[in-house]
Amino acid sequence: MCSVCLKIPCDSRCPNAPDQQPVMICAECKEGIYEGDEYFEGFEGPVCKECMDEKDLKEILEMFGEEMKQAEVE
């Protein structure tokens, strides 16, 4: 039993608790995605919510392989 939090295993807020390990790594920022985090499964790999929040609509559509077209008179 931990002498600080009095739990087995330590509470996640305890200073004696082991560092949390990421479940996966974001393909954009290379930071960890941890249990309970939201993410998008992209073609290049998982993308964390923070990276998705920073993208504009055009960038999101490009992630799906779509691109803007230019209108032309036929």
Side-chain angles (χ1 to χ4, degrees):
M1 179 184 309
C2 176
S3 62
V4 176
C5 68
L6 305 176
K7 296 191 178 197
I8 302 174
C10 285
D11 184 275
S12 62
R13 297 168 289 180
C14 178
N16 293 332
D19 290 337
Q20 187 180 15
Q21 296 298 312
V23 176
M24 58 192 76
I25 303 296
C26 175
E28 299 276 324
C29 68
K30 308 299 186 223
E31 294 291 325
I33 299 173
Y34 296 90
E35 184 175 353
D37 288 352
E38 292 182 318
Y39 72 97
F40 170 76
E41 188 61 55
F43 294 116
E44 304 292 322
V47 180
C48 68
K49 184 177 184 320
E50 290 77 17
C51 285
M52 289 300 295
D53 288 344
E54 292 175 3
K55 293 186 178 302
D56 62 21
L57 183 56
K58 182 179 180 217
E59 291 172 318
I60 292 171
L61 288 172
E62 287 172 350
M63 287 180 70
F64 288 102
E66 299 295 328
E67 61 183 47
M68 297 294 289
K69 301 197 183 333
Q70 189 171 29
E72 296 178 0
V73 176
E74 292 183 23

